Amino acid sequence: MLNFTDVTEFILLGLTSRREWQVLLFVIFLLVYVITVVGNICMILLIKVSPQLSSPMYFFLSHLSFVDVWFSSNVTPKMLENLLSETKTISYAGCLVQCFFFIALVHVEVFILAVMAFDRYMAIGDPLLYGSKMSRTVCIRLISFPYVYGFLVSLAATLWTYGLYFCGKIEINHFYCADPPLIKMACAGTFVKEYTMLILAGINFVYSLTVVILSYLFILIAIVRMNSAEGRRKAFSTCGSHLTAVVIFYGTLIFMYLRRPTEESVEQGKMVAVFYTTVIPMLNPMIYSLRNRDVKEAMNKVISRTILTK
């Protein structure tokens, strides 16, 4: 007989138990979080006030920045609190809420990246009809799908997490409520949760990644057919930032979720999770601003306008 425990809270073991490291990590992650929030909000505002950033590409980019702010904010504040706290706990309800938003925002982000790849194909493959085919109405429909689908998938996944049973052990070997350590810790209800996690992650990552790969395959064909060297350079320039973001984000998520939870994979997953929950949301606005001429020009104009009005 299994002795099920009526869980009211979990203990998050975090990244380290050494006090001196916890203080250092608090300072580092606080700085990263502030840069993430400020950088992404600045990107959203820049796109909103700059006429030259009114194309669909920047509309989707503003939503990517919006999701990055919430993605980081779902995990980092609690992690910062626990780095300085003695108890390091999270309530059962708080854990489920964190799981829900984490899964939802991951799915929203991967499908926004897929939509952005499709947008780049439309811009490079058929530039003359790009404006009419990627109208405001079409863009709103395209961006609505990741949000609706992501939150519906997350609702189902969180209900399966709610179906896990625990037998006394309430220590999560992680710095946030993630599925792999919860499955590893549970003593019943893991079969459905584990395999639905792997199947859902596999289907959604493969489907969205297929859209990205096919889009870039058609983009490559379109670039090869271009007669102008300047046109090729501009096409590679506009795709480079997005491709960098795709490789980083998909690579870390595949490493985390497309394998069965074990002690070793959970421990490795913590290190990878630091990267995609804190570092990637900070890097995205840098990637898109430093490698994009339009964004740099818009930024310079806003700064010049601000200085002149003072």
Side-chain angles (χ1 to χ4, degrees), residues 64-138:
L64 183 67
S65 291
F66 174 76
V67 171
D68 278 338
V69 170
W70 287 105
F71 190 51
S72 184
S73 297
N74 182 49
V75 172
T76 310
K78 188 63 183 176
M79 179 179 66
L80 292 172
E81 178 192 330
N82 286 342
L83 281 170
L84 296 184
S85 172
E86 292 294 330
T87 54
K88 306 184 189 307
T89 58
I90 184 169
S91 68
Y92 181 74
C95 184
L96 288 179
V97 168
Q98 196 174 61
C99 276
F100 172 75
F101 280 106
F102 179 84
I103 296 167
L105 293 168
V106 164
H107 282 87
V108 173
E109 181 136 354
V110 294
F111 281 104
I112 286 178
L113 289 171
V115 167
M116 291 175 75
F118 175 73
D119 170 70
R120 288 299 80 212
Y121 160 65
M122 293 298 293
I124 295 168
D126 200 356
L128 295 176
L129 296 175
Y130 175 63
S132 59
K133 287 187 176 180
M134 294 296 288
S135 65
R136 188 72 176 178
T137 304
V138 171

Side-chain angles (χ1 to χ4, degrees), residues 14-15 102 173-176 178 180-181 252-257 259-277:
L15 293 169
F102 179 84
N173 186 19
H174 219 292
F175 58 90
Y176 70 93
T252 52
L253 283 178
I254 288 168
F255 183 85
M256 178 77 175
Y257 282 97
R259 53 189 185 153
R260 294 189 62 183
T262 61
E263 286 291 346
E264 184 183 4
S265 70
V266 167
E267 198 63 41
Q268 292 171 349
K270 280 201 295 186
M271 300 301 108
V272 178
V274 169
F275 195 69
Y276 68 73
T277 56

Side-chain angles (χ1 to χ4, degrees), residues 38-307:
V38 172
N40 281 289
I41 290 175
C42 285
M43 180 64 77
I44 294 168
L45 293 174
L46 182 66
I47 292 168
K48 193 171 182 64
V49 302
S50 303
Q52 66 264 49
L53 302 182
S54 58
S55 70
M57 182 176 93
Y58 299 109
F59 171 74
F60 297 131
L61 179 56
S62 67
H63 279 272
L64 183 67
S65 291
F66 174 76
V67 171
D68 278 338
V69 170
W70 287 105
F71 190 51
S72 184
S73 297
N74 182 49
V75 172
T76 310
K78 188 63 183 176
M79 179 179 66
L80 292 172
E81 178 192 330
N82 286 342
L83 281 170
L84 296 184
S85 172
E86 292 294 330
T87 54
K88 306 184 189 307
T89 58
I90 184 169
S91 68
Y92 181 74
C95 184
L96 288 179
V97 168
Q98 196 174 61
C99 276
F100 172 75
F101 280 106
F102 179 84
I103 296 167
L105 293 168
V106 164
H107 282 87
V108 173
E109 181 136 354
V110 294
F111 281 104
I112 286 178
L113 289 171
V115 167
M116 291 175 75
F118 175 73
D119 170 70
R120 288 299 80 212
Y121 160 65
M122 293 298 293
I124 295 168
D126 200 356
L128 295 176
L129 296 175
Y130 175 63
S132 59
K133 287 187 176 180
M134 294 296 288
S135 65
R136 188 72 176 178
T137 304
V138 171
C139 289
I140 290 170
R141 287 174 183 170
L142 284 171
I143 203 64
S144 297
F145 172 77
Y147 287 103
V148 174
Y149 181 75
F151 277 88
L152 286 176
V153 167
S154 181
L155 180 61
T158 306
L159 289 173
W160 285 315
T161 303
Y162 182 72
L164 295 175
Y165 293 92
F166 304 95
C167 303
K169 188 180 179 183
I170 58 169
E171 292 182 341
I172 299 175
N173 186 19
H174 219 292
F175 58 90
Y176 70 93
C177 281
D179 278 345
L182 281 171
I183 293 168
K184 186 65 185 170
M185 187 176 67
C187 57
T190 58
F191 180 83
V192 173
K193 175 62 186 176
E194 182 177 337
Y195 284 96
T196 52
M197 181 190 76
L198 291 171
I199 291 167
L200 276 177
I203 290 171
N204 290 312
F205 290 162
V206 168
Y207 177 70
S208 57
L209 195 57
T210 300
V211 173
V212 173
I213 291 169
L214 287 176
S215 296
Y216 274 102
L217 182 62
F218 287 123
I219 286 170
L220 190 60
I221 293 169
I223 290 173
V224 169
R225 289 176 177 173
M226 286 180 182
N227 296 321
S228 166
E230 177 63 23
R232 288 197 197 99
R233 189 199 61 77
K234 190 175 180 181
F236 278 120
S237 175
T238 57
C239 293
S241 301
H242 177 259
L243 203 52
T244 304
V246 165
V247 170
I248 295 172
F249 194 73
Y250 275 89
T252 52
L253 283 178
I254 288 168
F255 183 85
M256 178 77 175
Y257 282 97
L258 292 185
R259 53 189 185 153
R260 294 189 62 183
T262 61
E263 286 291 346
E264 184 183 4
S265 70
V266 167
E267 198 63 41
Q268 292 171 349
K270 280 201 295 186
M271 300 301 108
V272 178
V274 169
F275 195 69
Y276 68 73
T277 56
T278 59
V279 179
I280 291 177
M282 178 188 70
L283 288 178
N284 276 343
M286 296 181 186
I287 291 169
Y288 283 99
S289 59
L290 294 176
R291 300 192 60 178
N292 190 297
R293 190 176 63 184
D294 291 337
V295 173
K296 285 190 283 189
E297 286 178 359
M299 200 179 300
N300 290 332
K301 285 180 182 178
V302 169
I303 293 169
S304 300
R305 219 162 39 225
T306 306
I307 293 170

